[in-house]
Amino acid sequence: MTEQTYCDRLVQDTPFLMGHGRLSEQQVDRIILQLNRYYPQILSNKDAEKFRNPKASLRVRLCDLLGHLQRSSERDCQEFYRALYMHAQPLHRSLPSRRASRNSDCTELDSGTASHELSDRGPMAFLACLGLAAGLALLLYCCPPDPKVLPRARRVLGFSPLIVDRHASRFLLAFLTDSLGGL
């Protein structure tokens, strides 16, 4: 399946964008102003004034704007979609052309959903696993058969970012010293 051009997408999305209440007058004005200010080659001042005319209804102005863009270049349509994304993200996400591309057999999208399925256990599961791994690492580091390791463990625990307060590290070091037979 070949990828749609922005102009093809705009033709497909025009009926959706023209739907009642999809775009507010403020959003349409912001899109027109962005296309005029940042890309005056897309919308000249005269065109921008025509599309922002308060005497014409929003539906007529939007229809004229979309017709003008459909007759323009691919870059102009792409900049319209960029402006639409910036000023109406929820609407941009629900465009028919975006839904069609999400339902296609695109490998990028499939791999993204597979990784999401593997990681939906939540943050508490992650923190529990992290705590378990840190505890095991600390246990292995602090309890080897070599008696020279305990002073190194004391240095690590004394400066560890996991120990919030200096007093907590003192209590932990005292516990380790007592339970392992001291130095």
Side-chain angles (χ1 to χ4, degrees):
M1 180 179 163
T2 60
E3 194 171 317
Q4 283 184 318
T5 65
Y6 285 98
C7 292
D8 294 339
R9 288 178 57 191
L10 188 58
V11 170
Q12 181 183 358
D13 292 335
T14 295
F16 178 79
L17 292 169
M18 294 295 297
H20 181 68
R22 299 267 189 219
L23 282 169
S24 69
E25 192 161 338
Q26 203 173 35
Q27 289 171 322
V28 172
D29 285 345
R30 286 180 186 156
I31 290 169
I32 292 169
L33 285 174
Q34 181 175 343
L35 292 175
N36 175 246
R37 286 183 184 156
Y38 295 110
Y39 307 101
Q41 66 277 18
I42 296 174
L43 282 183
S44 65
N45 287 337
K46 183 180 174 183
D47 289 332
E49 288 174 17
K50 178 177 118 181
F51 298 136
R52 294 189 71 220
N53 182 4
K55 294 178 185 174
S57 73
L58 176 62
R59 185 170 172 83
V60 169
R61 293 187 293 143
L62 185 57
C63 185
D64 290 344
L65 173 65
L66 295 175
H68 172 79
L69 290 169
Q70 287 172 5
R71 291 184 298 276
S72 298
S73 69
E74 178 71 14
R75 183 174 173 271
D76 297 355
C77 293
Q78 182 179 6
E79 294 306 326
F80 168 77
Y81 276 104
R82 182 173 288 140
L84 183 66
Y85 177 78
M86 289 175 66
H87 300 291
Q89 279 187 358
L91 181 70
H92 185 268
R93 274 187 249 122
S94 61
L95 289 170
S97 62
R98 289 190 47 88
R99 278 189 267 136
S101 68
R102 273 188 250 136
N103 294 337
S104 69
D105 294 328
C106 184
T107 57
E108 286 179 46
L109 296 175
D110 289 344
S111 66
T113 57
S115 68
H116 176 71
E117 289 172 7
L118 293 175
S119 67
D120 73 4
R121 294 207 194 310
M124 291 307 291
F126 169 75
L127 291 174
C129 290
L130 181 66
L132 180 66
L136 288 174
L138 186 64
L139 183 66
L140 288 174
Y141 188 77
C142 291
C143 299
D146 187 11
K148 296 179 183 179
V149 173
L150 189 58
R152 284 187 275 169
R154 178 176 282 171
R155 274 183 274 156
V156 168
L157 289 174
F159 296 103
S160 175
L162 297 175
I163 307 302
V164 177
D165 190 24
R166 187 174 22 171
H167 301 292
S169 65
R170 284 185 194 151
F171 290 122
L172 185 59
L173 289 172
F175 172 75
L176 286 173
T177 304
D178 292 341
S179 65
L180 294 176
L183 278 173

PDB file of all heavy atoms in Angstrom, residues 138 153-173 176:
ATOM      1  N   LEU A 138      22.457  -5.505  46.594  1.00  0.00           N
ATOM      2  CA  LEU A 138      23.052  -5.085  47.859  1.00  0.00           C
ATOM      3  C   LEU A 138      23.425  -6.289  48.715  1.00  0.00           C
ATOM      4  O   LEU A 138      24.501  -6.329  49.321  1.00  0.00           O
ATOM      5  CB  LEU A 138      22.068  -4.182  48.611  1.00  0.00           C
ATOM      6  CG  LEU A 138      22.573  -3.529  49.880  1.00  0.00           C
ATOM      7  CD1 LEU A 138      23.716  -2.568  49.561  1.00  0.00           C
ATOM      8  CD2 LEU A 138      21.452  -2.788  50.569  1.00  0.00           C
ATOM      9  N   ALA A 153      31.653  -2.039  51.473  1.00  0.00           N
ATOM     10  CA  ALA A 153      30.203  -1.889  51.566  1.00  0.00           C
ATOM     11  C   ALA A 153      29.865  -0.691  52.432  1.00  0.00           C
ATOM     12  O   ALA A 153      28.929   0.048  52.142  1.00  0.00           O
ATOM     13  CB  ALA A 153      29.565  -3.153  52.136  1.00  0.00           C
ATOM     14  N   ARG A 154      30.627  -0.473  53.494  1.00  0.00           N
ATOM     15  CA  ARG A 154      30.379   0.678  54.364  1.00  0.00           C
ATOM     16  C   ARG A 154      30.554   1.985  53.580  1.00  0.00           C
ATOM     17  O   ARG A 154      29.763   2.910  53.718  1.00  0.00           O
ATOM     18  CB  ARG A 154      31.346   0.621  55.543  1.00  0.00           C
ATOM     19  CG  ARG A 154      31.194   1.786  56.475  1.00  0.00           C
ATOM     20  CD  ARG A 154      32.093   1.651  57.661  1.00  0.00           C
ATOM     21  NE  ARG A 154      31.462   0.688  58.570  1.00  0.00           N
ATOM     22  CZ  ARG A 154      32.042   0.190  59.633  1.00  0.00           C
ATOM     23  NH1 ARG A 154      33.278   0.532  59.920  1.00  0.00           N
ATOM     24  NH2 ARG A 154      31.421  -0.653  60.415  1.00  0.00           N
ATOM     25  N   ARG A 155      31.590   2.057  52.754  1.00  0.00           N
ATOM     26  CA  ARG A 155      31.794   3.269  51.951  1.00  0.00           C
ATOM     27  C   ARG A 155      30.663   3.488  50.955  1.00  0.00           C
ATOM     28  O   ARG A 155      30.189   4.592  50.796  1.00  0.00           O
ATOM     29  CB  ARG A 155      33.127   3.196  51.209  1.00  0.00           C
ATOM     30  CG  ARG A 155      34.268   3.684  52.051  1.00  0.00           C
ATOM     31  CD  ARG A 155      35.536   3.668  51.270  1.00  0.00           C
ATOM     32  NE  ARG A 155      36.063   2.290  51.427  1.00  0.00           N
ATOM     33  CZ  ARG A 155      36.873   1.696  50.588  1.00  0.00           C
ATOM     34  NH1 ARG A 155      37.301   2.318  49.525  1.00  0.00           N
ATOM     35  NH2 ARG A 155      37.295   0.477  50.806  1.00  0.00           N
ATOM     36  N   VAL A 156      30.218   2.421  50.300  1.00  0.00           N
ATOM     37  CA  VAL A 156      29.142   2.543  49.309  1.00  0.00           C
ATOM     38  C   VAL A 156      27.853   2.966  49.985  1.00  0.00           C
ATOM     39  O   VAL A 156      27.151   3.860  49.533  1.00  0.00           O
ATOM     40  CB  VAL A 156      28.944   1.224  48.533  1.00  0.00           C
ATOM     41  CG1 VAL A 156      27.669   1.257  47.722  1.00  0.00           C
ATOM     42  CG2 VAL A 156      30.135   0.979  47.634  1.00  0.00           C
ATOM     43  N   LEU A 157      27.504   2.322  51.106  1.00  0.00           N
ATOM     44  CA  LEU A 157      26.255   2.652  51.781  1.00  0.00           C
ATOM     45  C   LEU A 157      26.295   4.046  52.386  1.00  0.00           C
ATOM     46  O   LEU A 157      25.283   4.717  52.485  1.00  0.00           O
ATOM     47  CB  LEU A 157      25.945   1.620  52.862  1.00  0.00           C
ATOM     48  CG  LEU A 157      25.531   0.249  52.341  1.00  0.00           C
ATOM     49  CD1 LEU A 157      25.395  -0.726  53.498  1.00  0.00           C
ATOM     50  CD2 LEU A 157      24.236   0.331  51.564  1.00  0.00           C
ATOM     51  N   GLY A 158      27.439   4.488  52.813  1.00  0.00           N
ATOM     52  CA  GLY A 158      27.553   5.821  53.384  1.00  0.00           C
ATOM     53  C   GLY A 158      27.294   6.920  52.384  1.00  0.00           C
ATOM     54  O   GLY A 158      26.810   7.988  52.722  1.00  0.00           O
ATOM     55  N   PHE A 159      27.602   6.699  51.129  1.00  0.00           N
ATOM     56  CA  PHE A 159      27.432   7.722  50.103  1.00  0.00           C
ATOM     57  C   PHE A 159      26.359   7.361  49.075  1.00  0.00           C
ATOM     58  O   PHE A 159      26.264   7.980  48.032  1.00  0.00           O
ATOM     59  CB  PHE A 159      28.759   7.971  49.381  1.00  0.00           C
ATOM     60  CG  PHE A 159      29.808   8.528  50.283  1.00  0.00           C
ATOM     61  CD1 PHE A 159      30.819   7.704  50.758  1.00  0.00           C
ATOM     62  CD2 PHE A 159      29.772   9.842  50.691  1.00  0.00           C
ATOM     63  CE1 PHE A 159      31.792   8.202  51.604  1.00  0.00           C
ATOM     64  CE2 PHE A 159      30.743  10.336  51.527  1.00  0.00           C
ATOM     65  CZ  PHE A 159      31.752   9.515  52.000  1.00  0.00           C
ATOM     66  N   SER A 160      25.558   6.385  49.358  1.00  0.00           N
ATOM     67  CA  SER A 160      24.572   5.905  48.398  1.00  0.00           C
ATOM     68  C   SER A 160      23.430   6.901  48.219  1.00  0.00           C
ATOM     69  O   SER A 160      22.908   7.430  49.200  1.00  0.00           O
ATOM     70  CB  SER A 160      24.001   4.568  48.870  1.00  0.00           C
ATOM     71  OG  SER A 160      22.981   4.170  48.016  1.00  0.00           O
ATOM     72  N   PRO A 161      23.011   7.165  46.991  1.00  0.00           N
ATOM     73  CA  PRO A 161      21.871   8.064  46.781  1.00  0.00           C
ATOM     74  C   PRO A 161      20.563   7.426  47.213  1.00  0.00           C
ATOM     75  O   PRO A 161      19.568   8.102  47.384  1.00  0.00           O
ATOM     76  CB  PRO A 161      21.880   8.317  45.275  1.00  0.00           C
ATOM     77  CG  PRO A 161      22.628   7.186  44.692  1.00  0.00           C
ATOM     78  CD  PRO A 161      23.603   6.753  45.735  1.00  0.00           C
ATOM     79  N   LEU A 162      20.539   6.102  47.431  1.00  0.00           N
ATOM     80  CA  LEU A 162      19.325   5.439  47.882  1.00  0.00           C
ATOM     81  C   LEU A 162      19.046   5.730  49.351  1.00  0.00           C
ATOM     82  O   LEU A 162      17.907   5.707  49.792  1.00  0.00           O
ATOM     83  CB  LEU A 162      19.415   3.922  47.666  1.00  0.00           C
ATOM     84  CG  LEU A 162      19.538   3.451  46.222  1.00  0.00           C
ATOM     85  CD1 LEU A 162      19.743   1.953  46.181  1.00  0.00           C
ATOM     86  CD2 LEU A 162      18.312   3.841  45.443  1.00  0.00           C
ATOM     87  N   ILE A 163      20.081   5.994  50.115  1.00  0.00           N
ATOM     88  CA  ILE A 163      19.910   6.314  51.533  1.00  0.00           C
ATOM     89  C   ILE A 163      19.683   7.819  51.622  1.00  0.00           C
ATOM     90  O   ILE A 163      20.546   8.613  51.281  1.00  0.00           O
ATOM     91  CB  ILE A 163      21.164   5.913  52.351  1.00  0.00           C
ATOM     92  CG1 ILE A 163      21.536   4.453  52.107  1.00  0.00           C
ATOM     93  CG2 ILE A 163      20.941   6.195  53.821  1.00  0.00           C
ATOM     94  CD1 ILE A 163      20.444   3.469  52.451  1.00  0.00           C
ATOM     95  N   VAL A 164      18.489   8.199  52.092  1.00  0.00           N
ATOM     96  CA  VAL A 164      18.081   9.597  52.030  1.00  0.00           C
ATOM     97  C   VAL A 164      18.822  10.442  53.064  1.00  0.00           C
ATOM     98  O   VAL A 164      19.289  11.517  52.773  1.00  0.00           O
ATOM     99  CB  VAL A 164      16.558   9.713  52.232  1.00  0.00           C
ATOM    100  CG1 VAL A 164      16.109  11.152  52.246  1.00  0.00           C
ATOM    101  CG2 VAL A 164      15.825   8.933  51.168  1.00  0.00           C
ATOM    102  N   ASP A 165      18.957   9.949  54.250  1.00  0.00           N
ATOM    103  CA  ASP A 165      19.520  10.766  55.317  1.00  0.00           C
ATOM    104  C   ASP A 165      20.780  10.096  55.878  1.00  0.00           C
ATOM    105  O   ASP A 165      20.914   8.882  55.854  1.00  0.00           O
ATOM    106  CB  ASP A 165      18.458  10.917  56.403  1.00  0.00           C
ATOM    107  CG  ASP A 165      18.825  11.939  57.446  1.00  0.00           C
ATOM    108  OD1 ASP A 165      19.618  12.843  57.166  1.00  0.00           O
ATOM    109  OD2 ASP A 165      18.314  11.814  58.562  1.00  0.00           O
ATOM    110  N   ARG A 166      21.633  10.907  56.409  1.00  0.00           N
ATOM    111  CA  ARG A 166      22.871  10.390  56.985  1.00  0.00           C
ATOM    112  C   ARG A 166      22.584   9.469  58.168  1.00  0.00           C
ATOM    113  O   ARG A 166      23.257   8.464  58.376  1.00  0.00           O
ATOM    114  CB  ARG A 166      23.739  11.568  57.431  1.00  0.00           C
ATOM    115  CG  ARG A 166      25.097  11.201  57.879  1.00  0.00           C
ATOM    116  CD  ARG A 166      25.947  12.396  58.158  1.00  0.00           C
ATOM    117  NE  ARG A 166      25.142  13.577  58.430  1.00  0.00           N
ATOM    118  CZ  ARG A 166      25.615  14.714  58.869  1.00  0.00           C
ATOM    119  NH1 ARG A 166      26.885  14.849  59.096  1.00  0.00           N
ATOM    120  NH2 ARG A 166      24.845  15.737  59.087  1.00  0.00           N
ATOM    121  N   HIS A 167      21.527   9.771  58.918  1.00  0.00           N
ATOM    122  CA  HIS A 167      21.182   8.949  60.074  1.00  0.00           C
ATOM    123  C   HIS A 167      20.728   7.557  59.643  1.00  0.00           C
ATOM    124  O   HIS A 167      21.040   6.569  60.300  1.00  0.00           O
ATOM    125  CB  HIS A 167      20.098   9.631  60.913  1.00  0.00           C
ATOM    126  CG  HIS A 167      20.518  10.971  61.408  1.00  0.00           C
ATOM    127  ND1 HIS A 167      21.513  11.145  62.347  1.00  0.00           N
ATOM    128  CD2 HIS A 167      20.102  12.207  61.056  1.00  0.00           C
ATOM    129  CE1 HIS A 167      21.679  12.428  62.574  1.00  0.00           C
ATOM    130  NE2 HIS A 167      20.838  13.100  61.806  1.00  0.00           N
ATOM    131  N   ALA A 168      19.999   7.490  58.557  1.00  0.00           N
ATOM    132  CA  ALA A 168      19.542   6.181  58.075  1.00  0.00           C
ATOM    133  C   ALA A 168      20.736   5.320  57.687  1.00  0.00           C
ATOM    134  O   ALA A 168      20.754   4.116  57.940  1.00  0.00           O
ATOM    135  CB  ALA A 168      18.596   6.350  56.899  1.00  0.00           C
ATOM    136  N   SER A 169      21.751   5.914  57.076  1.00  0.00           N
ATOM    137  CA  SER A 169      22.921   5.121  56.695  1.00  0.00           C
ATOM    138  C   SER A 169      23.683   4.654  57.937  1.00  0.00           C
ATOM    139  O   SER A 169      24.234   3.558  57.953  1.00  0.00           O
ATOM    140  CB  SER A 169      23.827   5.901  55.748  1.00  0.00           C
ATOM    141  OG  SER A 169      24.368   7.028  56.403  1.00  0.00           O
ATOM    142  N   ARG A 170      23.695   5.467  59.009  1.00  0.00           N
ATOM    143  CA  ARG A 170      24.366   5.047  60.248  1.00  0.00           C
ATOM    144  C   ARG A 170      23.680   3.817  60.837  1.00  0.00           C
ATOM    145  O   ARG A 170      24.332   2.876  61.277  1.00  0.00           O
ATOM    146  CB  ARG A 170      24.352   6.175  61.264  1.00  0.00           C
ATOM    147  CG  ARG A 170      25.338   7.249  60.991  1.00  0.00           C
ATOM    148  CD  ARG A 170      25.337   8.253  62.121  1.00  0.00           C
ATOM    149  NE  ARG A 170      26.033   9.439  61.698  1.00  0.00           N
ATOM    150  CZ  ARG A 170      25.784  10.649  62.150  1.00  0.00           C
ATOM    151  NH1 ARG A 170      24.846  10.837  63.039  1.00  0.00           N
ATOM    152  NH2 ARG A 170      26.465  11.672  61.712  1.00  0.00           N
ATOM    153  N   PHE A 171      22.319   3.855  60.871  1.00  0.00           N
ATOM    154  CA  PHE A 171      21.588   2.710  61.421  1.00  0.00           C
ATOM    155  C   PHE A 171      21.810   1.459  60.584  1.00  0.00           C
ATOM    156  O   PHE A 171      21.981   0.370  61.115  1.00  0.00           O
ATOM    157  CB  PHE A 171      20.088   3.016  61.518  1.00  0.00           C
ATOM    158  CG  PHE A 171      19.765   4.025  62.585  1.00  0.00           C
ATOM    159  CD1 PHE A 171      19.120   5.197  62.262  1.00  0.00           C
ATOM    160  CD2 PHE A 171      20.115   3.804  63.917  1.00  0.00           C
ATOM    161  CE1 PHE A 171      18.822   6.121  63.238  1.00  0.00           C
ATOM    162  CE2 PHE A 171      19.818   4.724  64.892  1.00  0.00           C
ATOM    163  CZ  PHE A 171      19.171   5.899  64.561  1.00  0.00           C
ATOM    164  N   LEU A 172      21.827   1.606  59.271  1.00  0.00           N
ATOM    165  CA  LEU A 172      22.039   0.461  58.396  1.00  0.00           C
ATOM    166  C   LEU A 172      23.444  -0.092  58.577  1.00  0.00           C
ATOM    167  O   LEU A 172      23.636  -1.309  58.638  1.00  0.00           O
ATOM    168  CB  LEU A 172      21.787   0.851  56.932  1.00  0.00           C
ATOM    169  CG  LEU A 172      21.854  -0.276  55.927  1.00  0.00           C
ATOM    170  CD1 LEU A 172      20.828  -1.358  56.261  1.00  0.00           C
ATOM    171  CD2 LEU A 172      21.607   0.248  54.530  1.00  0.00           C
ATOM    172  N   LEU A 173      24.425   0.787  58.669  1.00  0.00           N
ATOM    173  CA  LEU A 173      25.804   0.331  58.879  1.00  0.00           C
ATOM    174  C   LEU A 173      25.964  -0.353  60.234  1.00  0.00           C
ATOM    175  O   LEU A 173      26.663  -1.364  60.360  1.00  0.00           O
ATOM    176  CB  LEU A 173      26.780   1.493  58.746  1.00  0.00           C
ATOM    177  CG  LEU A 173      26.963   2.029  57.328  1.00  0.00           C
ATOM    178  CD1 LEU A 173      27.803   3.296  57.348  1.00  0.00           C
ATOM    179  CD2 LEU A 173      27.606   0.979  56.452  1.00  0.00           C
ATOM    180  N   LEU A 176      24.492  -3.818  59.866  1.00  0.00           N
ATOM    181  CA  LEU A 176      25.377  -4.698  59.117  1.00  0.00           C
ATOM    182  C   LEU A 176      26.571  -5.128  59.950  1.00  0.00           C
ATOM    183  O   LEU A 176      27.012  -6.275  59.908  1.00  0.00           O
ATOM    184  CB  LEU A 176      25.822  -4.041  57.813  1.00  0.00           C
ATOM    185  CG  LEU A 176      24.791  -3.960  56.700  1.00  0.00           C
ATOM    186  CD1 LEU A 176      25.337  -3.130  55.545  1.00  0.00           C
ATOM    187  CD2 LEU A 176      24.429  -5.344  56.212  1.00  0.00           C
TER     188      LEU A 176
END
